[in-house]
Amino acid sequence: MEHSKHSSPPRGMPAEAPRPRRGILHGRQKPGAPLAQQQPVTDEEPVEKKPSRLRLILLRVAVAVLLVIALVFAYIFLLLGEPDEEAKYVDLPDEELITMPMSALEIPGEANLQNLANTFGQPVMAFYGGPTLQRARVYDTAFGGGYARRVTLTYAFEDGTQLTVESIRPTSAVTLLGSGYSLSAISLYALGGLDAARMDGGGRICIFGESDTAAYAVLCPESHEDDLSSLLRQTTLIAPESE
């Protein structure tokens, strides 16, 4: 018996053969590392990532603190460096230029200090109490194309050691007090109500200061340095009668 050309498949058999799975033919692929996200290729510049809100707040606080510090330093600088408003409008007196010298005047022993101040033309520094005044001298010294006027009061301690008090004008003539001194920064002093400084040299201590119109100095021997503080408290300025 001749079989038909197209016989039917057995029961339960699929009509088509199953396709082989990809893993079976090519093997199981290993999972690869995730690729970095690529930026799109464009002509525009890449957009920067914005900083976090906390970072912005901290940055603003730091800038504010630095600004406050800068303002404080600027205020201190202006406060210390600039004169007071009242001082800006105060005209300092012009120092009188001495062109004609006077005849030297020397007075032994106690002298009338008021007359000395009148002759000097500006307040004269002296001691009240304390050492004994031995002599006084008023004279002019050539200085700066003119003359400097000077009053020298010579005092004596009980042991006979001498010290002098100098009044001199103009103020720049303070250089006539002598050379060979070295400035000492041990402390500040007061001289007749004026701020003063100290120089040492030649066995003497020089305490000097100045007003707007004259310079003053106390020259004390080093052997009496212990008496210096009490001496300076006894200095005073005697103004001429014309003031």
Side-chain angles (χ1 to χ4, degrees), residues 156-168:
F157 290 104
E158 293 181 356
D159 60 1
T161 307
Q162 294 182 343
L163 75 156
T164 57
V165 178
E166 292 268 4
S167 303
I168 186 169

Side-chain angles (χ1 to χ4, degrees), residues 23-95:
I24 297 176
L25 296 179
H26 301 282
R28 186 178 299 275
Q29 291 183 349
K30 297 181 180 180
L35 297 177
Q37 183 178 1
Q38 300 294 326
Q39 296 291 339
V41 179
T42 62
D43 294 336
E44 299 180 358
E45 296 182 357
V47 180
E48 297 182 358
K49 186 179 180 181
K50 295 183 179 180
S52 64
R53 184 177 181 83
L54 178 60
R55 187 176 179 182
L56 286 175
I57 294 175
L58 293 177
L59 182 60
R60 290 175 181 175
V61 170
V63 171
V65 171
L66 292 176
L67 181 61
V68 171
I69 294 175
L71 290 175
V72 170
F73 275 102
Y75 175 76
I76 294 175
F77 174 79
L78 293 175
L79 184 64
L80 297 179
E82 290 289 332
D84 296 337
E85 287 296 325
E86 295 180 358
K88 292 180 180 180
Y89 303 99
V90 174
D91 293 330
L92 296 178
D94 295 330
E95 295 187 70

Side-chain angles (χ1 to χ4, degrees), residues 9 21 27 43 60 66 86 105 107 111 121 127 129 134 147 154 160 180 213 231 236:
R21 288 181 296 176
D43 294 336
R60 290 175 181 175
L66 292 176
E86 295 180 358
L105 175 64
I107 304 171
F127 288 125
Q134 289 191 323
Y147 295 89
T154 302
T213 54
L231 286 171
T236 186

Side-chain angles (χ1 to χ4, degrees), residues 2-236:
E2 187 179 354
H3 293 280
S4 143
K5 185 178 289 188
H6 297 284
S7 60
S8 59
R11 182 178 298 178
M13 183 176 179
E16 295 181 358
R19 295 182 179 180
R21 288 181 296 176
R22 183 179 181 85
I24 297 176
L25 296 179
H26 301 282
R28 186 178 299 275
Q29 291 183 349
K30 297 181 180 180
L35 297 177
Q37 183 178 1
Q38 300 294 326
Q39 296 291 339
V41 179
T42 62
D43 294 336
E44 299 180 358
E45 296 182 357
V47 180
E48 297 182 358
K49 186 179 180 181
K50 295 183 179 180
S52 64
R53 184 177 181 83
L54 178 60
R55 187 176 179 182
L56 286 175
I57 294 175
L58 293 177
L59 182 60
R60 290 175 181 175
V61 170
V63 171
V65 171
L66 292 176
L67 181 61
V68 171
I69 294 175
L71 290 175
V72 170
F73 275 102
Y75 175 76
I76 294 175
F77 174 79
L78 293 175
L79 184 64
L80 297 179
E82 290 289 332
D84 296 337
E85 287 296 325
E86 295 180 358
K88 292 180 180 180
Y89 303 99
V90 174
D91 293 330
L92 296 178
D94 295 330
E95 295 187 70
E96 179 186 354
L97 180 63
I98 302 173
T99 57
M100 293 294 293
M102 62 169 288
S103 299
L105 175 64
E106 187 164 348
I107 304 171
E110 293 291 337
N112 188 322
L113 299 179
Q114 184 64 68
N115 290 338
L116 292 178
N118 295 339
T119 303
F120 184 63
Q122 293 295 334
V124 168
M125 182 160 291
F127 288 125
Y128 59 90
T132 303
L133 178 62
Q134 289 191 323
R135 64 178 181 272
R137 188 181 182 211
V138 185
Y139 60 103
D140 289 343
T141 302
F143 175 77
Y147 295 89
R149 184 150 297 172
R150 307 174 66 171
V151 175
T152 301
L153 305 179
T154 302
Y155 294 84
F157 290 104
E158 293 181 356
D159 60 1
T161 307
Q162 294 182 343
L163 75 156
T164 57
V165 178
E166 292 268 4
S167 303
I168 186 169
R169 67 180 180 94
T171 55
S172 55
V174 69
T175 55
L176 296 175
L177 294 178
S179 59
Y181 287 103
S182 60
L183 188 64
S184 174
I186 296 176
S187 62
L188 295 177
Y189 297 83
L191 192 62
L194 303 173
D195 292 333
R198 170 174 172 166
M199 297 188 297
D200 295 274
R204 294 195 301 180
I205 301 169
C206 176
I207 307 296
F208 66 99
E210 65 178 40
S211 65
D212 295 334
T213 54
Y216 305 96
V218 171
L219 295 95
C220 176
E222 290 182 348
S223 58
H224 284 271
E225 182 176 4
D226 294 340
D227 301 320
L228 189 59
S229 296
S230 60
L231 286 171
L232 296 179
R233 287 195 293 268
Q234 298 177 57
T235 54
T236 186

